Amino acid sequence: MVKNIFLIVLCLCATQLLGQDKWSLQQCIDYALEHNIQIKQSELDAQSADINLFGSRMRSLPDMNANVSFNTSKGRSIDPFTNTIIDQGINSQNASINASVPIFNGFEIRNSVKRDQKNLLASTYDLQSTQNDVILNVVTFYTNILFNMELLETAQLRLGTTQSQQNRVDKQVEIGALPMADLLQIRQQMANDELEVIRAENNLELSKLQLKQALQIPGDVEFEIEIPTLPEPEEEVLIENSSQVYLYALQNQPVIKAARARTESAMYGVGVARSNYFPSLSLNAALSTAYSSAAPDVFPVLGSENQVITQQIGFVQLPDDSQYPVFAEREVPSEFTENTYWNQLDFNQRQFVGLSLNIPIFNKFQVKNNVEQAILTQKNTEYQLINAKNQLQQTIEQAYLDVKSAAKAYSALENSLEAAQLSFDNAEQRLQLGATDAVEYTQIKNDYERVRSDLVRAKYDYIFKLKVLDFYQGKPLNF
């Protein structure tokens, strides 16, 4: 139920959007870039890489943790206040705050930051590459719509011409100027032309559906595009060779930039793995305290001065069997405080600061294996970069050859159309004068219409392949 409601709302919103204006190519591109799922996934990958980079940078900050524990015991145990063995029930509590700051760890943090910076850069270029793929798809489907619209217009004009010829032949058959076979031939051609119109309409609807699917718009929504004024393509606009295009694309195509960034990231990954060969040094600090229910009723006040007192420490046995007391001086605190919870926590405070040095000696060859794996990863990314360059070069060479072939085909069909036009005009005049039959006329007309359709197809094929070549040269893909 919820899914159906969502689809209805989506259709209504899309209908409202599409019902306002016809869509230009730029509007289609902008809409696809905003709503395409693959682009959104690439954006999430870039955000994830950014989070990883933030985490690597923050590793140079101190670690700080607090710990609190509550304990109860019965029987013989160690009094946490006096560290003596007692035989009674004790309730105790411990609390501490610990901090550790890395000072040196074999440049592991620095290499991790640089590695994640390159990963973020690669994710950003991947996003741009995905956007470029979406743009090319939109341009392809948009061009297909224009192509099929012109084919439909050509089919409709052809049907109109056949209709006029049928009316003319029908009148000539009525007066006996032409045989009935010519009328039947024209009627057959009329049926074929009607079928071609239906096919052209279906192809146009299919191309619109493909573009709507690329834009992720429901298929039952009305959708129309703007018809731009397309200049006739000229073969002279071609550059001399594909090397110029490749050199530009090599420096600017995001797929190459992403491969380079991943190669550099893998290089820093080797540094991260090798950092475990080095000692690590960190600064540690802690603050702790404790509470014990077995503590005495009073204990010295922290910071109070000691005082000297004379205290009896025993007796000396005299010859007459009498005892003589013995006294000694000792230092004792001058102030005491009651054993309250907070006073005891304050009294039991302990501060600690120290350096910790960790020296790796033997780790079951784990570091060695990690370094070798990182080196293999680096070599693999280098091969991936080489492969990406080769694929880019092959794609551009193929695109350049396709443009040259399309240009030659377009030029040849222009010349062929001119000859077919003259032949068709001549056949039409001869048919009107009764100098030819409908069979010959239909054959010449079909040849002419075939050349016209081929020229339309060659024109849009040439335009699209030029746009593909423009894409690798960094030119905008608008018409």
Side-chain angles (χ1 to χ4, degrees):
M1 182 63 181
V2 175
K3 181 179 180 181
N4 293 335
I5 295 175
F6 173 76
L7 291 175
I8 293 173
V9 173
L10 180 62
C11 291
L12 291 176
C13 294
T15 302
Q16 184 177 3
L17 287 173
L18 299 175
Q20 294 177 357
D21 298 301
K22 293 183 177 180
W23 286 56
S24 66
L25 176 59
Q26 188 60 50
Q27 287 175 319
C28 292
I29 290 175
D30 293 341
Y31 188 89
L33 293 178
E34 183 179 356
H35 296 86
N36 184 268
I37 298 300
Q38 286 76 22
I39 291 178
K40 292 183 181 297
Q41 290 175 329
S42 295
E43 289 174 346
L44 292 179
D45 292 338
Q47 292 176 13
S48 177
D50 189 40
I51 292 173
N52 291 336
L53 175 59
F54 177 80
S56 296
R57 285 173 172 167
M58 294 304 104
R59 289 179 57 196
S60 60
L61 298 180
D63 286 326
M64 181 173 292
N65 300 283
N67 178 62
V68 178
S69 63
F70 300 90
N71 306 286
T72 182
S73 64
K74 293 182 179 181
R76 291 175 59 85
S77 62
I78 297 177
D79 180 5
F81 188 87
T82 62
N83 287 327
T84 60
I85 297 177
I86 59 176
D87 188 3
Q88 68 179 68
I90 299 176
N91 295 322
S92 61
Q93 174 186 341
N94 295 284
S96 63
I97 296 178
N98 304 281
S100 178
V101 182
I103 297 177
F104 177 78
N105 55 5
F107 307 106
E108 191 266 342
I109 293 179
R110 187 187 70 173
N111 286 326
S112 294
V113 170
K114 291 184 177 180
R115 178 199 61 193
D116 292 342
Q117 285 176 335
K118 296 302 180 180
N119 285 337
L120 174 59
L121 197 60
S123 297
T124 303
Y125 290 138
D126 285 340
L127 173 59
Q128 295 177 7
S129 180
T130 303
Q131 291 172 335
N132 287 342
D133 291 341
V134 171
I135 291 173
L136 279 178
N137 283 336
V138 171
V139 172
T140 300
F141 297 136
Y142 196 95
T143 306
N144 286 342
I145 293 178
L146 296 176
F147 165 67
N148 286 312
M149 290 176 69
E150 191 154 342
L151 283 185
L152 175 59
E153 182 179 355
T154 301
Q156 290 172 339
L157 290 175
R158 181 166 62 245
L159 178 61
T161 301
T162 304
Q163 180 67 54
S164 300
Q165 292 298 334
Q166 178 181 340
N167 296 335
R168 186 180 301 112
V169 171
D170 191 25
K171 294 178 180 178
Q172 291 178 332
V173 169
E174 288 181 359
I175 62 176
L178 290 175
M180 177 60 68
D182 287 357
L183 179 59
L184 296 177
Q185 181 68 30
I186 290 293
R187 287 178 177 176
Q188 181 181 356
Q189 182 62 39
M190 182 75 175
N192 292 336
D193 291 346
E194 289 175 346
L195 180 59
E196 288 301 317
V197 170
I198 294 174
R199 288 174 177 172
E201 290 174 344
N202 292 336
N203 290 334
L204 177 58
E205 290 302 316
L206 177 60
S207 60
K208 287 182 179 180
L209 178 61
Q210 290 174 333
L211 180 56
K212 286 190 285 187
Q213 290 175 342
L215 300 179
Q216 296 181 348
I217 294 174
D220 56 353
V221 174
E222 291 296 327
F223 181 83
E224 297 295 336
I225 67 170
E226 289 183 357
I227 303 177
T229 301
L230 298 179
E232 294 298 322
E234 299 178 2
E235 187 175 358
E236 288 75 13
V237 301
L238 282 178
I239 57 179
E240 294 182 359
N241 54 64
S242 61
S243 299
Q244 301 175 34
V245 182
Y246 173 67
L247 291 177
Y248 178 87
L250 196 61
Q251 299 300 322
N252 295 276
Q253 277 295 306
V255 64
I256 301 298
K257 291 182 178 180
R260 286 199 191 102
R262 286 195 169 86
T263 301
E264 295 170 355
S265 171
M267 179 186 66
Y268 289 117
V270 175
V272 171
R274 284 176 174 165
S275 65
N276 292 315
Y277 280 131
F278 298 93
S280 60
L281 179 65
S282 61
L283 174 65
N284 305 304
L287 172 64
S288 63
T289 186
Y291 168 82
S292 172
S293 61
D297 295 335
V298 294
F299 41 79
V301 176
L302 291 176
S304 63
E305 296 182 358
N306 291 340
Q307 61 180 354
V308 179
I309 64 171
T310 301
Q311 187 177 22
Q312 181 179 338
I313 61 173
F315 297 91
V316 176
Q317 189 74 28
L318 297 178
D320 57 359
D321 292 334
S322 61
Q323 293 180 338
Y324 183 79
V326 178
F327 295 89
E329 292 183 349
R330 46 181 305 199
E331 289 187 359
V332 297
S334 60
E335 297 182 53
F336 287 84
T337 184
E338 294 182 1
N339 181 11
T340 64
Y341 177 78
W342 296 109
N343 287 342
Q344 188 176 157
L345 291 182
D346 186 56
F347 182 78
N348 286 331
Q349 279 190 34
R350 176 177 177 266
Q351 296 84 27
F352 166 79
V353 176
L355 291 173
S356 176
L357 179 64
N358 181 34
I359 302 175
I361 297 176
F362 180 73
N363 47 37
K364 297 178 289 188
F365 301 104
Q366 294 302 305
V367 176
K368 176 178 177 295
N369 291 340
N370 292 338
V371 171
E372 291 178 351
Q373 288 290 348
I375 292 174
L376 292 178
T377 300
Q378 180 185 7
K379 290 181 179 179
N380 188 42
T381 57
E382 291 173 354
Y383 290 141
Q384 289 175 352
L385 175 59
I386 295 174
N387 185 55
K389 290 180 179 179
N390 291 338
Q391 288 183 348
L392 178 65
Q393 184 175 18
Q394 293 170 6
T395 301
I396 291 176
E397 289 174 347
Q398 184 64 50
Y400 182 79
L401 182 61
D402 289 343
V403 170
K404 292 189 67 175
S405 300
K408 293 178 180 178
Y410 179 74
S411 178
L413 285 169
E414 279 187 315
N415 297 331
S416 179
L417 180 64
E418 184 177 354
Q421 177 73 55
L422 294 174
S423 177
F424 174 69
D425 291 342
N426 179 265
E428 195 171 26
Q429 293 176 1
R430 292 167 57 198
L431 181 65
Q432 293 176 1
L433 297 174
T436 186
D437 58 15
V439 175
E440 182 181 1
Y441 168 80
T442 301
Q443 181 63 42
I444 295 175
K445 179 178 180 295
N446 288 339
D447 291 341
Y448 168 67
E449 297 298 344
R450 177 183 54 79
V451 174
R452 284 187 62 186
S453 298
D454 290 343
L455 182 61
V456 171
R457 183 176 290 103
K459 172 184 175 181
Y460 281 94
D461 183 56
Y462 186 23
I463 290 174
F464 174 72
K465 289 176 178 177
L466 276 175
K467 288 299 178 182
V468 172
L469 205 59
D470 287 345
F471 163 75
Y472 289 110
Q473 298 177 79
K475 297 179 181 180
L477 293 180
N478 290 329
F479 292 117

